[in-house]
Amino acid sequence: MSRIDHAVVDMYEQLPVPYGLVRFGVAPDHPEVKNCQDKFEEVASSPRFHFIGNINVGRDLPLSSLKPHYDAMLFAYGASKDRSLGIPGEDSLKGIYSARAFVGWYNGLPEYEDLDPKLDLGEEAVVIGQGNVALDVARILLSDVDKLKTTDIADKALTTLSKSRVKRVRVVGRRGPMQASFTIKEIRELMTLPSVGFEGIDPSLLPSDPTKLPRAQKRLVQLLSKGSSTPLSSAMKSWSLDFFLSPLSFNNTRSSDEHLSSLGFAQNVLQEQNPLDPAARVSATDGRVSMPASLAFRSIGYKSESIPGIKDLGVTFDDRKGILPNDPWGRIITLSPNLGNAAAVHIPGMYCAGWVKRGPTGVIASTMDDAFTSAEVIARDWEDKTLFLDGKVPGSGQMKGGWDALKEEVRTKGLREVSWNEWRSIDKAERTRGKQKGKEREKFGSIREMLEAAWS
């Protein structure tokens, strides 16, 4: 909107509330990460921006209905699925959860309102994966519930966490400490949790002289070597980082129920000679390890999926990569059958940003930078008179109507959108609920509650 005079942006969201990953993915004890909402508020205050919540594009509203009313469409719907392991017991035993579901549950995502994780059945939990989300799961399981009460964590989650019996969390990865994808900040937070001890890493897995390493690697090795601020001997709870293990099975050794009791792993070794290489690969050995656990969390990545009807717009979703095929700037592309697979052709007026553009990697800041890049290329294409959705150059056709031209069609389907002002009613109600409990907000956990607050 800052680059193109009179540009109007309509943002469609399937939930009645905005902010997506910031609201439902960022850990409740990380409020500083949510400051990017301020920029969103600034944009949303413009009369040339329309928030259209509670409309599921592709299902409630076909993409083919949107296309005639816009010059460009940008897809930024993230990754709604998590990857599975595909090993025995994963789908049949109780007590196994995806990290995405667990994070959504404690953050009040309506999709997981009824998850009800059983945290009171044992003291041992295992998290498979060693990214920041895996460490978020471990930290929430190990944190003092009284410390979480002042955050915007879901009230239902607080109740369940207060009854948790979990005292030990093992965070397991298939490669080594120098290949793990967690950040120093996340490790430091776990190392400084009150009354929580770190079980330590075999020194042979770490470089003997960290002073010769690049700055980031040196800080990480020093942090892992130093360990937790609470000695393990006096800790009430503990956690560990377990490396070079690939999950083989979820097991139940108790015939009396169908609940998880242990996990089986294969031991791995590095294929490359350089253990400091972040891209080093591993191969499995004949060695096997068994870990007792009443809880397991799968945190091996998210995956985007196609939107119904997107093929009708000439877009072929890349199911293998879980992305919309695009060039480095976010233009959605297709391969030209006339020029062979080496030539990629931009589909006029079609763009993407975020995880559906590059895959589920990076943090909030990098995702924002990615969105700015995609917006910049739309503006540049407009200025360069590139073809847009109607196959015409900017300014050569009739002005598109956008949401104003669509709203009656939407309402005749029995659908009702949530406007930005109605979102503000939800926001106000959540903050009022939170104030009564001494926290910033108490989120509504169901769509029904959100809509009641929006339309009351």
Side-chain angles (χ1 to χ4, degrees):
M1 294 190 297
S2 63
R3 285 278 303 273
I4 304 175
D5 292 339
H6 312 301
V8 176
V9 175
D10 295 340
M11 190 184 85
Y12 292 85
E13 164 61 52
Q14 67 174 335
L15 291 173
V17 297
Y19 302 130
L21 182 65
V22 175
R23 178 180 169 102
F24 296 117
V26 174
D29 56 348
H30 285 175
E32 72 285 352
V33 179
K34 303 184 182 185
N35 291 338
C36 59
Q37 293 179 172
D38 297 340
K39 183 64 177 178
F40 196 111
E41 289 275 356
E42 177 188 331
V43 173
S45 65
S46 169
R48 294 191 287 134
F49 175 88
H50 303 131
F51 173 74
I52 306 155
N54 198 43
I55 301 295
N56 192 333
V57 171
R59 291 180 171 84
D60 295 340
L61 182 60
L63 288 169
S64 57
S65 296
L66 268 76
K67 183 180 177 182
H69 303 291
Y70 291 94
D71 294 298
M73 297 172 66
L74 183 142
F75 297 88
Y77 57 85
S80 60
K81 299 296 180 183
D82 66 285
R83 298 182 184 276
S84 61
L85 292 162
I87 60 176
E90 185 175 14
D91 298 323
S92 59
L93 294 179
K94 299 175 183 178
I96 303 166
Y97 307 94
S98 77
R100 180 183 186 276
F102 187 66
V103 170
W105 168 76
Y106 67 61
N107 274 323
L109 181 60
E111 180 182 353
Y112 297 113
E113 181 187 14
D114 300 322
L115 184 69
D116 192 25
K118 303 301 182 185
L119 309 183
D120 57 351
L121 297 181
E123 298 182 353
E124 301 264 1
V126 170
V127 183
I128 300 172
Q130 292 184 329
N132 282 347
V133 175
L135 297 194
D136 281 346
V137 171
R139 192 178 65 258
I140 294 297
L141 288 172
L142 295 168
S143 290
D144 184 343
V145 174
D146 288 335
K147 299 290 185 182
L148 296 174
K149 286 181 179 178
T150 58
T151 72
D152 66 355
I153 191 170
D155 200 47
K156 183 181 293 187
L158 274 178
T159 301
T160 300
L161 287 165
S162 67
K163 300 174 183 176
S164 173
R165 290 177 53 203
V166 175
K167 291 186 177 180
R168 184 189 188 195
V169 178
R170 304 180 73 165
V171 184
V172 183
R174 60 187 180 86
R175 298 191 295 169
M178 308 313 293
Q179 291 81 42
S181 56
F182 49 64
T183 60
I184 293 171
K185 178 180 179 293
E186 297 283 341
I187 289 290
R188 183 181 292 112
E189 285 182 310
L190 271 165
M191 292 295 191
T192 56
L193 276 183
S195 303
V196 177
F198 180 59
E199 296 183 14
I201 296 173
D202 182 346
S204 67
L205 299 181
L206 299 172
S208 56
D209 186 5
T211 61
K212 297 180 180 179
L213 298 174
R215 184 170 180 268
Q217 286 187 327
K218 179 175 73 174
R219 289 172 59 200
L220 177 61
V221 171
Q222 290 172 338
L223 188 60
L224 293 175
S225 299
K226 182 180 178 182
S228 56
S229 54
T230 299
L232 196 58
S233 58
S234 59
M236 296 177 63
K237 298 178 181 179
S238 68
W239 71 288
S240 66
L241 290 167
D242 297 83
F243 300 103
F244 296 112
L245 296 173
S246 291
L248 292 176
S249 63
F250 295 99
N251 308 312
N252 168 255
T253 56
R254 300 185 298 264
S255 58
S256 58
D257 59 27
E258 297 178 348
H259 203 280
L260 176 72
S261 59
S262 68
L263 291 85
F265 293 89
Q267 293 179 314
N268 299 328
V269 293
L270 283 175
Q271 292 181 3
E272 282 76 10
Q273 296 297 316
N274 182 9
L276 302 182
D277 182 1
R281 295 171 296 179
V282 295
S283 56
T285 69
D286 293 333
R288 298 292 182 264
V289 171
S290 179
M291 288 185 187
S294 58
L295 278 170
F297 299 88
R298 182 181 62 241
S299 184
I300 57 171
Y302 298 162
K303 188 176 182 180
S304 300
E305 59 181 354
S306 182
I307 290 182
I310 202 164
K311 280 189 175 181
D312 297 336
L313 303 183
V315 178
T316 301
F317 188 83
D318 189 329
D319 289 305
R320 185 178 65 84
K321 294 181 179 178
I323 61 169
L324 292 167
N326 63 92
D327 69 12
W329 299 277
R331 298 182 184 95
I332 295 178
I333 60 175
T334 186
L335 298 178
S336 171
N338 298 324
L339 300 177
N341 291 342
V345 178
H346 176 213
I347 302 174
M350 303 288 283
Y351 302 85
C352 58
W355 285 5
V356 77
K357 170 185 173 183
R358 69 181 193 280
T361 60
V363 294
I364 296 291
S366 58
T367 301
M368 288 181 64
D369 288 341
D370 180 74
F372 294 148
T373 298
S374 293
E376 182 74 22
V377 81
I378 294 174
R380 190 163 68 244
D381 285 351
W382 187 266
E383 293 164 353
D384 291 343
K385 303 296 185 180
T386 301
L387 295 180
F388 276 77
L389 279 179
D390 57 2
K392 299 178 181 179
V393 298
S396 63
Q398 186 177 2
M399 182 175 289
K400 301 301 176 66
W403 171 242
D404 287 338
L406 271 168
K407 61 175 68 173
E408 290 307 316
E409 177 184 339
V410 170
R411 290 166 185 170
T412 58
K413 295 175 180 287
L415 304 172
R416 182 176 174 183
E417 78 282 2
V418 170
S419 69
W420 187 255
N421 283 335
E422 288 169 332
W423 146 245
R424 283 176 168 165
S425 296
I426 299 173
D427 181 49
K428 182 179 178 180
E430 289 185 339
R431 290 181 183 276
T432 299
R433 282 158 43 103
K435 188 175 182 180
Q436 295 168 353
K437 297 183 178 182
K439 54 198 297 189
E440 180 182 355
R441 75 169 65 239
E442 177 62 36
K443 298 173 188 171
F444 292 114
S446 69
I447 292 177
R448 176 186 57 80
E449 292 174 309
M450 293 175 184
L451 296 180
E452 287 176 355
W455 297 335
S456 60

